[in-house]
Amino acid sequence: MMTDETVIHVDRLTKKFGDFIATNAISFDVVQGEIFGFLGANGAGKTTAMRMLCGLSIPSSGKATVAGFDVYKETEHIKQNIGYMSQKFSLYEDLTVKENIRFYAGIYGMSRSAIKEKMKVLLEQLELSAEENSLVKSLPLGWKQKLAFSVAILHEPRIVFLDEPTGGVDPVTRREFWNLIYEAAAKGITVFVTTHYMDEAEYCDRVSIMVDGVIEALDTPANLKKTYNASSMDEVFLQLARGAKRAAD
Amino acid sequence: MNAITVDHIVKTYGSKKQVLTALDDISFEVKKGELFGIIGPDGAGKTSLFRILTTLLLAEGGTATVDGYDVVKDYKQIRKSVGYMPGKFSLYQDLSVEENLEFFATIFNTSIDQNYDLIKDIYVQIEPFKKRRAGKLSGGMKQKLALCCALIHKPSVLFLDEPTTGVDAVSRKEFWDMLKDLKKQGITILVSTPYMDEAAMCDRVALIQSGKIMSIETPENIVKEFEGELWAVRSADMYRLLNDLKQYKYTESCNSFGEYHHLLLTKNQGGKEGVLKYLNELSHKNILLEHTAPNIEDRFMQLMKNT
């Protein structure tokens, strides 16, 4: 459920690496329960911006709060209140399903009894009970991605950051994954997601498109298509990203 | 003559206790000068297939030839005549752009000048950075350098394993334009991708899932093979709409496709009126329901379900 409460507030946030301005005075707000699509070409500055919002990189200037915590001074609080998942890194392949759940839940400081309870619900929900003692590397990719997402929100964070969660996944699993995203958002978890699949941009409540370190466009998919006189988000993206001057990363 | 023939290839991994079949009796042929796509998700067996054809991996069963040479007996010939760009960046990170290119030219007993025509259009884009170490290049530039290195000995067949994975929509389009130019020069190209929309850029594609080829066709014919009438549906609440449509008694399948859901009814029972009546009863607002042409993902999912 979307509410009016702002959970991410970004005001002229900037990150410089020497002379290079990776993220140039970006500003936006994200509300609770919103599915916020964060798009941009390779090298546009998405990863830098995401790292600052996750408390992993201190900004050069500007202001931002995530779940009410300051990105300069309260990075540890931010980390406790967010979940994170990417296609490149999610679960430990050499641990079993159960061990992975226990490990992540433990890191987020959940009690043993809470972990036990959550574990049971989660395994049933994902229909993974029969595989609880299997090594994660033996699971099909689709199951891994769904498990990784569930683990990222196990501690009921305010916000979950998803960095290209569906890359390389088959079309059926990709859609099942988005169902999990909808369910999480319905529970009030804010979803901040990047993707290279433009049809997935349509599933977001609002979409921002970064070009050369700045946010070039930010609106609902319907309004963006209207503004850019485009029939699909793919066209909107191409119109904006084609103007990029910066070499892709 | 065919540039590539694959005949009942089987590849498994793992021990006797837990066998993973990466390629399950795969057969297909690629004609000379064809741009042939292997389309499928991660774990479908794409990389195993590429490694077998480039003589880096032995199959357990079946035979395959590249350029008329057998992948086992004549592996030395194949290595001389093909170009291979692996999914993972595999150039020398500590050598400069220029040095990498020179290195690959030298080991194939040729020079950059000799085949410059072939790479010119791509190389000029990275030439301003020719003194830069490969490890310090951006992703897009690395990709272009890797393609130049795979082309420098003028290969007869070019193998590109997921060249566009993790690449943004604009760069992906640019990359496919480069491939079309190479095709004009007569090079046979075998390319793999998990992005279904890229199938449209190929002459023919093989759809692969769990080590099996589900279909081999031209992109136009693959969508023509879709069985049934497909409807595009939307309403004010798309998530509820999806769940409700999945519950509908005549629904064969229903999947999200951007701003619409694609709905297939069992033998089109109830038709448009039936669906509208059902959705009105559930008080959906702003319903739009119209015929739509299936795309490659529709067909891929249908095949996944049927196999």
Side-chain angles (χ1 to χ4, degrees):
Chain A
M1 287 301 285
M2 270 212 270
T3 68
D4 292 340
E5 195 195 340
T6 301
V7 289
I8 301 177
H9 173 66
V10 180
D11 185 14
R12 301 192 58 77
L13 196 66
T14 300
K15 179 78 186 188
K16 293 181 189 169
F17 297 103
D19 295 335
F20 181 72
I21 308 172
T23 308
N24 193 356
I26 59 169
S27 302
F28 61 88
D29 285 334
V30 182
V31 298
Q32 196 198 342
E34 184 171 12
I35 301 175
F36 189 82
F38 198 60
L39 310 188
N42 297 121
K46 292 188 310 268
T47 305
T48 305
M50 263 198 83
R51 285 179 56 84
M52 289 191 280
L53 296 179
C54 291
L56 298 171
S57 168
I58 300 295
S60 306
S61 64
K63 278 188 251 172
T65 58
V66 174
F69 298 107
D70 184 79
V71 293
Y72 290 89
K73 291 184 204 131
E74 298 171 310
T75 54
E76 285 312 306
H77 287 289
I78 289 176
K79 288 175 200 167
Q80 281 160 24
N81 283 280
I82 63 169
Y84 176 84
M85 180 208 153
S86 81
Q87 212 241 316
K88 284 171 206 125
F89 175 77
S90 43
L91 300 167
Y92 289 94
E93 299 263 304
D94 289 327
L95 296 183
T96 64
V97 169
K98 239 171 141 176
E99 285 166 343
N100 264 289
I101 297 173
R102 206 184 304 137
F103 176 76
Y104 278 96
I107 279 197
Y108 283 111
M110 287 171 61
S111 70
R112 277 184 190 203
S113 57
I115 294 173
K116 214 175 151 189
E117 203 178 301
K118 278 263 178 182
M119 175 104 67
K120 199 165 168 276
V121 177
L122 182 63
L123 289 172
E124 274 167 22
Q125 227 171 31
L126 294 173
E127 294 169 20
L128 269 175
S129 299
E131 302 289 335
E132 61 176 28
N133 292 316
S134 306
L135 292 182
V136 159
K137 68 176 168 198
S138 71
L139 298 181
L141 180 77
W143 288 17
K144 264 190 229 175
Q145 296 301 90
K146 283 185 267 182
L147 177 63
F149 179 72
S150 306
V151 165
I153 57 167
L154 200 64
H155 60 296
E156 294 173 2
R158 301 287 306 277
I159 304 147
V160 63
F161 288 89
L162 306 173
D163 195 1
E164 283 177 42
T166 54
V169 171
D170 73 69
V172 172
T173 308
R174 202 151 75 77
R175 286 170 175 80
E176 286 170 0
F177 194 89
W178 270 89
N179 277 343
L180 292 179
I181 292 182
Y182 281 128
E183 276 169 31
K187 276 190 240 162
I189 296 177
T190 302
V191 180
F192 191 98
V193 58
T194 74
T195 178
H196 285 314
Y197 290 100
M198 286 306 129
D199 60 330
E200 293 185 350
E202 301 272 2
Y203 309 150
C204 302
D205 293 311
R206 282 189 307 151
V207 170
S208 79
I209 299 177
M210 269 187 95
V211 180
D212 291 346
V214 301
I215 291 184
E216 201 62 49
L218 169 59
D219 215 325
T220 60
N223 284 344
L224 284 174
K225 280 182 281 182
K226 221 178 277 167
T227 308
Y228 291 92
N229 196 19
S231 63
S232 67
M233 280 304 293
D234 197 31
E235 267 180 50
V236 173
F237 184 83
L238 288 179
Q239 275 187 40
L240 286 166
R242 278 225 167 101
K245 303 263 182 314
R246 211 140 99 179
D249 75 339
Chain B
M1 193 182 77
N2 287 318
I4 302 171
T5 63
V6 176
D7 196 15
H8 298 289
I9 285 284
V10 175
K11 176 71 198 169
T12 59
Y13 295 103
S15 57
K16 274 179 192 156
K17 252 170 73 187
Q18 201 179 15
V19 180
L20 179 91
T21 307
L23 295 170
D24 191 357
D25 199 13
I26 293 239
S27 301
F28 66 93
E29 283 157 2
V30 179
K31 291 178 210 131
K32 247 197 165 84
E34 200 171 20
L35 175 50
F36 192 96
I38 305 281
I39 317 268
D42 289 0
K46 302 190 297 294
T47 299
S48 295
L49 176 65
F50 273 67
R51 292 179 61 83
I52 287 168
L53 293 176
T54 49
T55 77
L56 301 171
L57 190 70
L58 289 172
E60 260 104 75
T63 55
T65 66
V66 175
D67 235 3
Y69 297 110
D70 183 88
V71 291
V72 182
K73 272 202 332 262
D74 312 319
Y75 73 95
K76 282 187 178 162
Q77 284 302 325
I78 292 178
R79 288 182 188 182
K80 271 184 211 161
S81 63
V82 305
Y84 173 43
M85 185 172 151
K88 197 172 158 240
F89 184 68
S90 306
L91 301 180
Y92 292 93
Q93 312 254 4
D94 290 336
L95 295 185
S96 70
V97 167
E98 210 174 25
E99 285 165 345
N100 264 295
L101 197 57
E102 246 169 46
F103 175 79
F104 281 96
T106 310
I107 52 171
F108 283 108
N109 281 321
T110 181
S111 65
I112 298 177
D113 291 340
Q114 213 171 333
N115 294 317
Y116 190 67
D117 280 355
L118 197 58
I119 61 162
K120 188 174 163 255
D121 292 341
I122 308 161
Y123 190 64
V124 290
Q125 300 173 49
I126 49 172
E127 210 174 9
F129 313 96
K130 65 181 182 188
K131 299 284 177 205
R132 195 182 286 186
R133 284 186 191 185
K136 297 279 178 203
L137 291 176
S138 71
M141 287 196 282
K142 275 182 185 162
Q143 188 197 40
K144 284 174 186 147
L145 176 60
L147 186 58
C148 287
C149 291
L151 281 169
I152 196 61
H153 59 297
K154 201 166 195 213
S156 53
V157 184
L158 185 60
F159 291 92
L160 305 169
D161 193 7
E162 295 206 27
T164 55
T165 291
V167 174
D168 68 70
V170 176
S171 312
R172 276 168 55 195
K173 284 208 164 63
E174 283 176 7
F175 194 82
W176 279 97
D177 288 341
M178 286 191 271
L179 294 193
K180 288 206 162 149
D181 287 340
L182 288 173
K183 185 185 136 63
K184 280 184 204 145
Q185 312 207 34
I187 297 178
T188 307
I189 304 172
L190 187 72
V191 56
S192 70
T193 177
Y195 295 103
M196 308 264 151
D197 58 338
E198 294 184 345
M201 322 291 260
C202 303
D203 296 326
R204 281 193 306 148
V205 296
L207 301 185
I208 182 169
Q209 164 80 6
S210 306
K212 283 198 174 79
I213 289 181
M214 302 190 295
S215 179
I216 303 175
E217 260 302 351
T218 61
E220 299 78 31
N221 283 346
I222 282 210
V223 291
K224 272 188 205 151
E225 282 177 351
F226 186 84
E227 294 150 18
E229 268 181 77
L230 198 63
W231 298 96
V233 197
R234 62 170 307 157
S235 81
D237 185 350
M238 291 298 281
Y239 183 47
R240 188 165 74 90
L241 179 68
L242 180 66
N243 289 327
D244 286 344
L245 285 173
K246 280 185 175 167
Q247 301 297 322
Y248 181 51
K249 59 181 171 181
Y250 295 133
T251 294
E252 174 95 19
S253 70
C254 186
N255 296 298
S256 308
F257 272 86
E259 57 182 330
Y260 292 95
H261 298 318
H262 284 186
L263 173 70
L264 179 69
L265 302 172
T266 311
K267 293 176 190 141
N268 209 27
Q269 278 186 82
K272 185 176 181 173
E273 288 69 33
V275 180
L276 284 175
K277 187 165 168 278
Y278 170 74
L279 292 178
N280 279 320
E281 275 165 14
L282 292 164
S283 50
H284 276 277
K285 301 272 175 287
N286 307 328
I287 303 165
L288 196 85
L289 178 67
E290 58 195 17
H291 268 126
T292 192
N295 65 29
I296 189 121
E297 274 199 339
D298 285 305
R299 180 61 182 152
F300 196 94
M301 287 193 278
Q302 190 172 54
L303 286 166
M304 271 176 82
K305 221 175 155 185
N306 296 348
T307 46

